[in-house]
């Protein structure tokens, strides 16, 4: 190993050479994205001279001026262009010009992450503009700073959570700011999707309502990565017509994008023992060991990061889970220190749940070049300005093409050449994509899906609005019209709201407890019991899997064992320990059909979309020996049952049709289970989600359908639009699922086709050939002329 810096092309050759000894190259495809020149235009005459001088750039890009001019003229606008295309300047020009030319005006900037807001604060502060007084207002802001910001700051940078929990409930203290509010900037607005996006849409409507109450009428400027129908998505988010600017005029360096499939390990006990268990699922079940398995994507990513840092290449590795990011950083540090003592210190992990001081120090070290390598969750996917990165490693498909290109775009931000490598996990979708590059390259990115009419979102948000100021009849149009009227009627009947001549009032003394991100409760604090030191936090929804008693918890490369999880107090007590095992929680799931919205009657096959209730409980965990994966023991857990009312898509197949396809009744459970796993793995190809957003259940005879059934459901209260998308594209979705299973070279099923890293039954039973036969039956019958009833009241019985 040397410390000589390598360019992206040289680095790819170096990485390729590292695996030259393998029978098959791990690189399945290399896509070359050519460089592109930029198109500049003259400065608009309305831009404040002091701002133009402070920016010190020769000329803006064409799309920056197009979006900025629309906003300057009072038109709500979204600029949707590629990573590093200078979207920040598109909103800085109108916003800062207004603040410089109107000493009373204020502006609000909203980003989905604290890191992005802090980065934007640095960018604006560097301009040194008199009188703007920018400041971040988030959960890390001290009480003294908050008072000063309310009174003096004219450009407040915050996030939806703080807007929801802090600014809007205390709007009377923000009255002056809201009255003079000229612009609202919503950065990285494509991140507001699903249930979270639906909640944020109502937070924005509440902001608009309160600003109007103080006679404020701001112009909205939104910035997005390239996405399908950005104007439509932005309009749904803010509830107003939005113009779009999508033609990217910025220069771009060339990108070399490689698809990388980790090699198969030799089918021998020695090699199996030498392959550590690097399961990505925090506390979840690892893949079942087979005679021949692929090398872990996490280990492969760690080795590639090691080689990149050793070559002097500044590299960011995106890893799907918090635990995975810790593992990649730890393995890379150890490997580097073995080769060059001290070099491992130039690699770190970065993820949500770190304390503010830790996050800021890591960001500073990366920007200064003290760090050469960083393993991060998607916390750094968004537009934090990481100038100087040469390469990006993406450990596992991030769920959407939009996120894939957003992450890849972190490299080459100075206009130079960049390298991006997608390392496939043992997962049906990842395997499919690295062998079908046409599904990634040359295709448009997905639309942003959100549904403000979701009753599980609308009702609680109306309660929040009523607690801030009585809801009037006119307000109901802002919140959705007829659906809002129906929701208010139900809330009034339940006693949550009370009707008075001046409007609907919140009836309780405290504020409504509404969680924007669907975590199901407050974050759980992780505390070292011997010192009382706060290590970090874990969202409530993940705590049962990650922080159950006995769980191994990783923090900045150090292992801790959980001694106690107190969900009432939202605290987990841990002690430092380096056990010789990893822990893997087991969850059991049950599902009840509440109603059918739509269905297709295809003879022996039925395809359904409807409402379901899912109950789940983490009941036990396994301890598995590190290295061999051997199960040491299984320990029971006593954690509460969790209920979820959501939307599902499901299909039924008659037993006779399964037997006619050659599937024995004893194999029904395994065939359906394998088809369910693969279908969940391939759904992100059709919907804007990843497999962790959705769940599934399969059974040879479900009580509600009275037939062999496979369910796939949204993992969010009220649904998130994923099941609807699956239903709308059922034939294409299931055809891709069948192709992925059939094309896999394994004999009985593996993580690349029908095994799932999140299976609550330990990937048992599974019947790979039976899954192909099940999907053949479904696709054949769905391909025949369809009979679609108008308004089904009951699911039809299978033929």
């Amino acid at each position: 190993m040397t410390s000589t810096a390598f360019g992206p092309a040289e680095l790819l050759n170096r990485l390729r050479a590292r695996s030259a000894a393998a029978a098959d190259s791990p690189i399945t495809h290399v896509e070359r994205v050519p460089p592109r020149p930029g198109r500049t235009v003259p400065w608009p005459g309305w831009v404040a001279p002091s701002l133009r001088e402070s920016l010190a750039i020769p000329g803006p890009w064409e799309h920056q001026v197009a979006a900025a001019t629309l906003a300057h003229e009072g038109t709500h606008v979204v600029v949707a262009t590629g990573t590093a295309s200078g979207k920040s300047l598109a909103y800085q020009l109108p916003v800062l010009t207004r603040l410089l030319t109107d000493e009373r005006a204020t502006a609000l900037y909203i980003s989905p992450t604290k890191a992005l807001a802090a980065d934007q604060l640095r960018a604006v502060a560097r301009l040194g503009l008199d009188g703007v007084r920018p400041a971040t207002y988030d959960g890390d802001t001290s009480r003294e700073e908050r008072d000063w910001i309310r009174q003096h700051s004219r450009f407040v940078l915050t996030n939806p959570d703080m807007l929801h929990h802090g600014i809007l409930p205390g709007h009377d203290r923000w009255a002056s700011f809201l009255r003079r509010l000229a612009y609202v900037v919503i950065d990285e607005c494509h991140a507001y999707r699903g249930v979270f996006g639906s909640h944020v849409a109502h937070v924005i409507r509440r902001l608009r309502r309160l600003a109007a109450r103080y006679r404020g009428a701001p112009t909205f400027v939104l910035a997005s990565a390239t996405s399908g129908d950005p104007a439509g998505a932005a309009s749904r988010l803010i509830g107003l017509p939005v113009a779009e600017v999508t033609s990217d005029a910025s220069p771009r360096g060339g990108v070399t994008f490689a698809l990388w499939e980790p090699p198969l390990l030799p089918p021998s006990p020695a090699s199996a023992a030498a392959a550590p268990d690097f399961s990505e699922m925090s506390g979840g079940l690892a893949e079942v060991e087979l005679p021949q398995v692929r090398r872990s994507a996490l280990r492969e990513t760690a080795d590639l990061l090691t080689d990149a840092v050793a070559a002097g290449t500044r590299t960011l590795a995106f890893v799907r889970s918090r635990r995975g990011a810790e593992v990649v950083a730890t393995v890379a540090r150890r490997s580097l220190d073995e080769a060059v003592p001290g070099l491992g210190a130039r690699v770190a992990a970065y993820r949500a749940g770190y304390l503010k001081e830790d996050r800021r120090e890591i960001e500073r070290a990366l920007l200064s070049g003290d760090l050469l390598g960083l393993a991060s969750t998607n916390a750094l996917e968004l537009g934090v300005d990481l100038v100087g990165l040469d390469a990006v490693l993406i450990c596992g498909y991030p769920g959407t093409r939009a996120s894939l290109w957003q992450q890849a775009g972190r490299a080459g931000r100075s206009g130079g050449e960049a390298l991006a490598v997608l390392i496939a996990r043992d997962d049906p979708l990842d395997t499919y994509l690295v062998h079908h590059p046409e599904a990634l390259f040359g295709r448009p990115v997905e639309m942003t899906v959100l549904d403000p009419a979701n009753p599980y979102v609308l009702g609680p948000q109306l309660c929040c609005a009523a607690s801030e100021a009585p809801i009037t009849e006119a307000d109901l149009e802002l919140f959705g019209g007829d659906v809002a009227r129906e929701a208010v009627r139900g809330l009034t009947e339940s006693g949550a709201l009370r009707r008075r001549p001046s409007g609907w009032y919140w009836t309780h003394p405290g504020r409504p407890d509404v969680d924007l991100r669907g975590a199901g409760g407050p974050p759980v604090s992780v505390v070292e019991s011997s010192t009382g030191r706060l290590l970090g936090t874990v969202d409530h929804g993940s705590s049962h899997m990650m922080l159950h008693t006995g769980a191994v918890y990783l923090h900045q490369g150090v292992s801790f064992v959980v001694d106690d999880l107190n969900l009432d107090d939202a605290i987990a007590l841990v002690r430092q320990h380096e056990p010789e095992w990893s822990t893997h929680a087991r969850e059991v799931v049950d599902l009840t059909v509440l109603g059918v919205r739509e269905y297709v009657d295809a003879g022996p096959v039925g395809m359904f979309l409807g409402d379901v209730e899912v109950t789940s409980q983490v009941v036990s965990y396994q301890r598995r020996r590190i290295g061999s994966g051997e199960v040491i023991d299984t320990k029971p857990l006593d954690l509460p049952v969790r209920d979820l009312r959501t939307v599902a898509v499901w299909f039924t197949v008659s037993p006779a049709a399964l037997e006619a396809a050659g599937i024995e009744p004893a194999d029904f459970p395994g065939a359906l289970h394998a088809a369910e796993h693969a279908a969940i793995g391939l759904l992100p190809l059709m919907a804007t989600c990843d497999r962790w957003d959705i769940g599934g259940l399969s059974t040879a005879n479900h009580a509600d359908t009275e037939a062999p059934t496979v369910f796939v459901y949204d993992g969010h209260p009220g649904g998130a639009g994923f099941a609807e998308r699956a239903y709308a594209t059922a034939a294409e979705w299931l055809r891709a699922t069948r192709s992925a299973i059939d094309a896999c070279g394994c004999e009985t099923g593996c993580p690349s086709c029908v095994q799932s890293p999140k299976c609550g039954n330990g990937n048992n039973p599974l019947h790979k050939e039976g899954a192909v036969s099940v999907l053949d039956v479904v696709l054949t019958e769905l391909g025949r002329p369809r009979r679609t009833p108008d308004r089904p009241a009951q699911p039809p019985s299978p033929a």
Side-chain angles (χ1 to χ4, degrees):
M1 293 185 180
T2 72
S3 59
T4 303
F6 283 71
E10 293 83 358
L11 178 62
L12 181 61
N13 290 333
R14 180 187 174 96
L15 299 180
R16 194 196 307 263
R18 183 179 66 83
S19 303
D24 297 311
S25 170
I27 299 175
T28 61
H29 178 79
V30 176
E31 186 79 8
R32 174 64 182 166
V33 181
R36 177 188 66 205
R39 302 190 305 274
T40 60
V41 294
W43 285 102
W46 53 262
V47 175
S50 58
L51 174 59
R52 192 167 59 218
E53 293 169 6
S54 297
L55 289 168
I57 56 177
W61 308 122
E62 186 178 79
H63 65 276
Q64 294 172 326
V65 170
T69 300
L70 285 169
H72 174 71
E73 294 170 349
T75 300
H76 308 298
V77 62
V78 57
V79 53
T81 52
T83 307
S85 60
K87 292 186 286 288
S88 297
L89 190 66
Y91 56 74
Q92 287 173 355
L93 291 180
V95 170
L96 296 177
T97 291
R98 180 64 180 272
L99 297 182
L100 290 169
T101 56
D102 179 356
E103 63 181 17
R104 294 181 55 80
T106 61
L108 184 68
Y109 169 94
I110 304 168
S111 73
T113 66
K114 295 178 183 177
L116 182 52
D119 183 72
Q120 287 298 305
L121 176 64
R122 286 191 292 267
V124 174
R126 278 197 300 265
L127 297 177
L129 302 172
D130 291 336
V132 173
R133 299 189 292 274
T136 54
Y137 190 88
D138 56 31
D140 295 333
T141 308
S142 68
R143 186 169 300 278
E144 295 76 15
E145 290 177 299
R146 293 183 185 189
D147 291 338
W148 183 92
I149 291 168
R150 278 194 298 268
Q151 295 173 26
H152 301 292
S153 177
R154 299 177 58 217
F155 191 14
V156 174
L157 300 96
T158 189
N159 53 60
D161 310 85
M162 197 63 184
L163 185 60
H164 165 65
H165 287 294
I167 295 176
L168 298 182
H171 61 87
D172 53 334
R173 291 175 292 172
W174 290 86
S176 178
F177 184 91
L178 293 171
R179 183 179 301 112
R180 297 178 290 157
L181 187 59
Y183 285 101
V184 175
V185 176
I186 304 179
D187 206 355
E188 303 290 357
C189 64
H190 63 280
Y192 302 122
R193 61 180 178 86
V195 170
F196 176 48
S198 302
H199 272 296
V200 173
H202 285 294
V203 172
I204 298 302
R205 284 158 175 77
R206 287 161 48 201
L207 170 64
R208 288 175 50 205
R209 184 176 80 117
L210 292 174
R213 180 184 178 93
Y214 296 105
R215 300 185 301 281
T219 297
F220 285 83
V221 188
L222 302 96
S224 170
T226 51
S227 65
D229 189 23
S235 180
R236 286 190 297 276
L237 182 64
I238 69 172
L240 293 166
V242 178
E244 66 178 39
V245 173
T246 59
S247 179
D248 192 338
S250 64
R252 182 182 62 191
V255 180
T256 300
F257 206 131
L259 304 184
W260 186 290
E261 185 175 40
L264 287 166
L265 294 171
S268 67
S271 63
D277 173 16
F278 289 113
S279 169
E280 289 192 44
M281 178 63 179
S282 297
L285 286 165
E287 296 88 351
V288 169
E289 290 193 350
L290 296 173
Q292 190 174 33
V293 297
R294 290 202 177 275
R295 200 163 187 265
S296 160
L298 284 177
R299 183 57 194 254
E300 197 81 347
T301 303
D303 285 354
L304 294 178
L305 180 61
T306 299
D307 283 354
V309 170
T313 305
R314 293 185 62 187
T315 304
L316 177 61
F318 282 107
V319 188
R320 299 289 300 279
S321 70
R322 296 180 179 186
R323 182 183 180 186
E326 296 279 3
V327 167
V328 167
T330 300
V331 173
R333 280 196 296 261
R334 289 174 180 171
S335 299
L336 288 165
D337 280 336
E338 288 175 2
V340 182
L343 189 56
R346 302 195 71 181
V347 174
Y350 185 99
R351 60 173 175 79
Y354 281 178
L355 302 182
K356 173 187 176 182
E357 295 76 14
D358 295 334
R359 293 197 308 271
R360 297 294 177 264
E361 175 58 27
I362 293 170
E363 292 165 17
R364 184 206 61 77
L366 184 65
L367 292 171
S368 68
D370 292 344
L371 285 177
L372 272 179
L374 191 67
S376 172
T377 59
N378 63 358
L380 286 179
E381 173 183 320
L382 303 179
V384 177
D385 191 9
L386 304 177
V387 175
L389 291 179
D390 298 306
V392 165
L393 307 174
I394 304 170
C395 182
Y397 182 59
T400 66
R401 288 184 294 276
S403 288
L404 181 74
W405 286 108
Q406 189 83 350
Q407 292 182 2
R410 294 298 93 192
R413 292 181 66 92
S414 59
E417 290 286 319
L419 172 67
V421 183
L422 172 63
I423 299 105
R425 293 171 303 153
D426 250 353
D427 172 277
L429 179 57
D430 285 35
T431 302
Y432 180 89
L433 290 174
V434 295
H435 291 285
H436 295 81
E438 69 278 3
L440 289 177
F441 303 110
R443 294 189 60 181
V445 296
E446 304 84 354
M447 294 174 57
T448 302
V449 178
L450 60 103
D451 179 19
N454 182 335
Y456 289 84
V457 172
L458 179 57
Q461 286 291 334
L462 286 170
C463 290
C464 291
S467 73
E468 292 158 0
I471 295 175
T472 65
E473 186 69 36
D475 291 334
L476 296 180
E477 291 300 324
L478 175 66
F479 289 102
D482 290 341
V483 293
R485 291 185 184 88
E486 184 63 29
V488 164
R489 186 178 302 114
L491 292 168
T492 304
E493 291 173 356
S494 69
L497 300 182
R498 181 176 293 119
R499 180 71 186 268
R500 290 285 184 264
S502 56
W504 286 270
Y505 286 74
W506 173 242
T507 59
H508 300 285
R511 293 188 59 246
D513 184 15
V514 178
D515 176 18
L516 298 188
R517 298 180 187 261
V524 176
S525 298
V526 182
V527 176
E528 188 173 24
S529 53
S530 61
T531 64
R533 178 170 63 110
L534 176 65
L535 299 177
T537 61
V538 170
D539 65 271
H540 194 91
S542 301
S543 61
H544 290 215
M545 301 291 281
M546 291 180 65
L547 296 176
H548 60 76
T549 300
V552 176
Y553 175 80
L554 289 174
H555 180 77
Q556 294 186 342
V558 180
S559 293
F560 296 83
V561 173
V562 179
D563 289 327
D564 180 59
L565 171 62
N566 188 323
L567 292 171
D568 293 332
D569 294 335
I571 187 170
L573 297 177
V574 303
R575 56 185 165 84
Q576 188 172 338
H577 184 49
E578 294 286 345
E580 297 180 354
W581 62 83
S582 58
T583 54
H584 309 273
R586 178 173 178 266
E587 186 177 45
V588 296
V589 179
D590 195 13
L591 183 149
T592 302
V593 175
L594 302 178
V596 175
R597 298 182 182 182
E598 300 179 51
Y599 71 87
V600 173
D601 179 357
V605 168
M607 179 66 66
F608 300 84
L609 177 70
D611 301 292
V612 299
E613 181 175 49
V614 181
T615 58
S616 60
Q617 183 179 23
V618 176
V619 296
S620 62
Y621 71 98
Q622 287 183 339
R623 295 193 303 166
R624 298 185 181 183
R625 201 173 305 282
I626 294 174
S628 67
E630 172 194 356
V631 176
I632 299 173
D633 55 24
T634 301
K635 294 182 176 291
L637 291 169
D638 184 21
L639 288 165
V641 175
R642 292 187 285 189
D643 297 313
L644 171 69
R645 289 200 173 199
T646 186
V647 180
V649 59
W650 66 94
F651 63 79
T652 60
V653 188
S654 72
L658 292 179
E659 290 191 65
I663 308 173
E664 298 294 329
D667 291 329
F668 285 4
L672 295 165
H673 193 197
E676 171 217 329
H677 280 183
I680 289 173
L682 268 292
L683 182 54
L685 197 62
M686 310 296 160
T688 310
C689 65
D690 59 45
R691 73 180 305 153
W692 307 103
D693 287 324
I694 47 184
L697 180 75
S698 57
T699 174
N701 185 28
H702 192 269
D704 295 328
T705 66
E706 299 179 350
T709 310
V710 170
F711 294 91
V712 176
Y713 58 84
D714 292 355
H716 300 274
F722 310 139
E724 285 96 330
R725 179 64 179 162
Y727 181 82
T729 61
E732 184 183 2
W733 166 42
L734 296 179
R735 195 174 297 114
T737 301
R738 187 223 181 266
S739 173
I741 301 173
D742 189 54
C744 186
C746 71
E747 293 185 7
T748 59
C750 69
S752 295
C753 58
V754 299
Q755 290 187 4
S756 169
K758 52 185 282 193
C759 178
N761 294 310
N763 286 295
N764 184 49
L766 292 174
H767 194 291
K768 178 184 175 181
E769 291 184 4
V772 173
S773 298
V774 167
L775 293 169
D776 280 340
V777 172
V778 174
L779 289 167
T780 298
E781 298 302 332
L782 287 178
R784 302 185 196 279
R786 298 183 177 184
R787 303 184 297 277
T788 306
D790 292 332
R791 295 182 63 82
Q794 300 273 2
S797 298

